[in-house]
């Protein structure tokens, strides 16, 4: 079974951005999750946190004007917005682990129906690297994942149990995929939104764990980006 | 009170083989490159210091800074959270060849272990890493219905840190996100050596804005216009 229509990464990021409230303190994972910052709805302004000690950073500076003391967790140069603050690493992770962040949005290799997340190691050798992922999943009030619904080989990423090394146990509460929006409640995937072009059967066929239904399933409608 | 010393070479001259060394910085931001270069040059001339245990968030980038120390074989163990970078060859090759040991620590746990080391707190509990491979062998305890992993303090023989303003007492301020691990590492080492971009007279730094009080600092050396790792790598500089 193949599903021909799916959201682009930018569209998944757009959908995740719609759930971020004005004034929320937000940490975005390195890479694909960073795109969420571009799609904040008109009139809302989140405050972005980066592990290396900045609150309220903004866009990348123009090429040639970078200040390499002012970078984000991905080591990319950033700028400051009015009301920014610097702090050392212990304060930064007090913000994370002390429960002060409203939302963390991370990528995933695998997510289990229990809310377990695997996103730091494929377990296949090489050099392991964890960064702040294991801290973020236990600190933010809401931990959301953005991901393609399946792997590049077409295998499900929403699983009964993760098979790769875990980043955290029971930590994810919502998953935004290329096909659907799924909540994790009481150890189950609960389907909230799906692309109108994808049937329930097709969606279940690319999801390892059972998708439960609790109330209406909204249409996942995202602009062309 | 005068903790100043004239050159980076003099500042790092006493670091022996086998020392544990915390090195500030997050990637290139806050990396004390001139102190590291002085260590590298000493090693090239004398073969020492070697067998170092280095604590840093990363493992260097390219062929300068910490990456050069690793490529030259000065480091036997890294304690870090993220041993990757744009050009991670030095560490990757040493690690895959079995020439360097890696203790991988979640970034917040790394910061808190250093903070605890500086504050005299031998261990603490955190939810971070519970149920993962990185918690293997560590005590777990339940508090208020949730499980936590015990982590131990982290201390070192030396800390090498970069700051912006410094005075002869060792009072420091930092520059932007280059602060990162610096203030923590200053507290957790037996000997803290700091390169400052501007050495100023005592009384010049407003006490309200001092980030690291001088009690945590042993040695201050002025390095005007310090190099930035990102720019050295773009110029393909090599210290190896």
């Amino acid at each position: 079974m193949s599903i021909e229509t799916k959201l682009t990464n930018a569209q998944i990021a757009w959908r995740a951005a719609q759930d971020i409230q004005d004034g929320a303190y937000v940490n975005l994972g390195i890479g694909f999750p960073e795109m969420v910052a571009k799609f904040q709805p008109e009139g809302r302004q989140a405050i972005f946190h980066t592990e290396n000690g900045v609150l309220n950073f903004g866009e990348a500076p123009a090429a040639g004007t970078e200040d390499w003391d002012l970078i984000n967790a991905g080591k990319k140069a950033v700028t400051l917005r009015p009301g920014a603050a610097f702090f050392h690493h212990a304060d930064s992770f007090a913000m994370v682990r002390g429960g002060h962040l409203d939302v963390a949005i991370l990528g995933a290799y695998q997510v289990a129906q229990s809310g377990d997340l695997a996103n730091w190691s494929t377990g296949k050798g090489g050099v392991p690297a964890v960064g702040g992922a294991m801290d973020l999943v236990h600190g933010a009030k809401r931990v959301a994942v953005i991901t393609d619904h399946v792997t590049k080989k077409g295998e499900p990423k929403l699983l009964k149990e993760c098979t790769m090394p875990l980043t955290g146990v029971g930590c994810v509460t919502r998953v935004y995929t290329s096909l659907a929006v799924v909540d994790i409640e009481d150890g189950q995937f609960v389907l909230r939104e799906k692309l109108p072009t994808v049937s329930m059967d097709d969606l279940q066929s690319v999801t390892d764990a059972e998708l439960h239904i609790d109330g209406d399933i909204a249409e996942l409608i995202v602009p062309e980006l | 009170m005068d903790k100043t010393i004239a050159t980076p070479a003099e500042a790092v001259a006493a670091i022996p083989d086998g020392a544990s060394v915390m090195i500030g910085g997050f990637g290139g931001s806050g990396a004390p490159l001139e102190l590291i270069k002085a260590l590298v040059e000493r090693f090239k001339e004398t073969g020492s210091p070697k067998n170092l245990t280095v604590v840093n968030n990363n493992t260097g980038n390219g062929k300068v800074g910490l990456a050069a120390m690793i490529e030259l074989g000065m480091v036997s163990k890294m304690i870090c959270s993220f041993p990757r970078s744009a050009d991670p060859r030095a560490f990757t090759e040493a690690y895959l060849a079995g020439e360097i040991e890696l203790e991988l620590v979640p970034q917040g746990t790394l910061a808190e272990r250093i903070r605890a080391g500086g504050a005299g707190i031998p261990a603490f509990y955190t939810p971070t890493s519970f149920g993962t491979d990185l918690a293997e062998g560590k005590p777990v305890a339940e508090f208020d219905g949730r499980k936590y992993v015990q982590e131990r303090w982290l201390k070192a023989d030396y800390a090498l840190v970069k700051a912006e303003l410094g005075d002869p007492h060792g009072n420091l301020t930092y520059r932007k996100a280059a602060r990162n691990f610096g203030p923590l590492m200053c507290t957790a080492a037996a000997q803290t050596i700091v390169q400052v971009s501007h050495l100023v007279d005592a009384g010049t730094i407003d006490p309200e804005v001092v980030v690291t009080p001088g009690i945590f600092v042993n040695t201050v050396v002025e390095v005007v216009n310090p190099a930035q790792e990102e720019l050295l790598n773009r110029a393909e500089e090599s210290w190896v």
Side-chain angles (χ1 to χ4, degrees):
Chain A
M1 211 285 312
S2 76
I3 293 173
E4 286 177 8
T5 314
K6 65 168 195 167
L7 300 184
T8 63
N9 281 357
Q11 288 175 309
I12 301 170
W14 180 92
R15 176 62 192 85
Q18 307 313 301
D19 289 345
I20 297 175
Q21 301 306 308
D22 186 38
Y25 290 95
V26 180
N27 185 293
L28 302 175
I30 295 170
F32 166 27
E34 291 176 55
M35 292 172 77
V36 171
K38 291 198 296 191
F39 299 118
Q40 291 183 86
E42 191 72 31
R44 289 191 220 164
Q45 181 83 73
I47 311 281
F48 293 103
H49 166 269
T50 181
E51 292 96 302
N52 55 310
V54 190
L55 266 178
N56 211 7
F57 66 95
E59 298 283 298
T65 67
E66 299 93 345
D67 179 340
W68 295 107
D69 283 341
L70 185 53
I71 61 175
N72 65 12
K75 317 274 179 5
K76 293 200 259 308
V78 295
T79 53
L80 297 178
R81 297 198 307 213
F86 298 125
F87 35 85
H88 62 58
H89 248 82
D91 279 352
S92 182
F93 280 88
M95 293 172 196
V96 173
R97 309 202 309 187
H100 304 282
L101 289 179
D102 294 297
V103 190
I105 298 180
L106 306 170
Y109 295 141
Q110 299 177 329
V111 186
Q113 58 190 350
S114 58
D116 293 359
L117 172 66
N119 79 345
W120 74 281
S121 166
T122 58
K124 290 178 185 160
V127 179
V130 65
M134 286 190 185
D135 305 284
L136 285 164
V137 297
H138 288 296
K141 296 185 181 93
R142 199 161 73 75
V143 176
V145 157
I146 57 175
T147 178
D148 204 302
H149 202 87
V150 297
T151 68
K152 288 198 174 74
K153 290 180 180 171
E155 293 159 349
K157 296 180 81 163
L158 277 60
L159 307 176
K160 295 187 189 77
E161 286 181 23
C162 293
T163 58
M164 291 179 182
L166 294 184
T167 307
V169 175
C171 51
V172 178
T173 52
R174 174 164 270 207
V175 187
Y176 303 92
T177 82
S178 48
L179 303 176
V181 177
V182 178
D183 281 338
I184 293 172
E185 293 176 4
D186 302 325
Q188 296 183 332
F189 286 128
V190 180
L191 181 63
R192 296 299 178 197
E193 300 175 19
K194 69 173 184 63
L195 287 182
T197 51
V198 176
S199 74
M200 207 41 229
D201 286 347
D202 285 353
L203 187 63
Q204 184 62 69
S205 74
V206 291
T207 311
D208 176 56
E210 187 179 349
L211 291 169
H212 292 264
I213 294 167
D214 175 21
D216 292 342
I217 299 164
E219 292 193 341
L220 174 54
I221 295 172
V222 173
E224 292 296 323
L225 295 167
Chain B
M1 177 70 73
D2 186 4
K3 297 178 179 177
T4 61
I5 201 164
T7 65
E10 291 168 82
V12 302
I15 297 178
D17 289 355
S20 55
V21 185
M22 292 179 173
I23 301 181
F26 181 91
S29 168
L33 286 187
E34 283 73 14
L35 291 177
I36 297 173
K37 192 168 192 187
L39 266 189
V40 164
E41 286 172 354
R42 208 184 110 202
F43 175 81
K44 284 177 161 179
E45 284 168 21
T46 67
S48 183
K50 59 181 182 299
N51 293 328
L52 300 174
T53 293
V54 173
V55 182
N56 181 265
N57 186 62
N58 305 97
T59 52
N61 190 14
K63 289 179 173 291
V64 297
L66 176 54
M69 289 177 65
I70 293 169
E71 187 164 338
L72 289 165
M74 298 169 67
V75 182
S76 55
K77 179 177 179 181
M78 277 303 314
I79 302 175
C80 74
S81 87
F82 203 80
R84 287 192 207 138
S85 64
D87 179 3
R89 277 176 295 175
F91 180 81
T92 301
E93 287 172 11
Y95 179 77
L96 295 179
E99 292 164 359
I100 194 165
E101 188 185 343
L102 171 64
E103 180 178 338
L104 190 69
V105 183
Q107 196 174 132
T109 295
L110 183 64
E112 191 66 11
R113 287 179 63 191
I114 298 167
R115 194 191 77 79
I121 298 166
F124 59 91
Y125 284 92
T126 174
T128 298
S129 91
F130 172 71
T132 76
D133 295 350
L134 296 190
E136 269 178 28
K138 293 174 184 169
V140 169
E142 189 172 314
F143 297 94
D144 299 335
R146 193 172 174 193
K147 299 250 177 65
Y148 295 81
V149 177
Q150 189 193 86
E151 295 281 358
R152 286 176 167 251
W153 60 6
L154 190 56
K155 297 192 277 191
D157 300 320
Y158 291 87
L160 305 181
V161 169
K162 179 185 183 183
E164 176 69 1
L165 298 182
D167 70 19
H169 290 254
N171 296 307
L172 307 175
T173 69
Y174 297 85
R175 186 170 181 275
K176 303 186 179 181
R179 181 180 307 195
N180 56 67
F181 285 91
L184 310 175
M185 290 179 170
C186 283
T187 70
Q191 289 289 321
T192 292
I193 302 165
V194 182
Q195 68 168 74
V196 300
S197 304
H198 305 280
L199 179 63
V200 298
D201 292 336
T204 304
I205 305 173
D206 181 348
E208 291 282 9
V209 303
V210 168
V211 177
T212 293
I215 191 171
F216 297 122
V217 174
N218 301 94
T219 304
V220 177
V221 57
E222 187 181 39
V223 176
V224 178
N225 296 321
Q228 281 282 2
E229 187 178 274
E230 179 71 27
L231 298 177
L232 295 183
N233 279 325
R234 287 180 180 209
E236 298 186 13
E237 181 156 320
S238 172
W239 298 355
V240 176

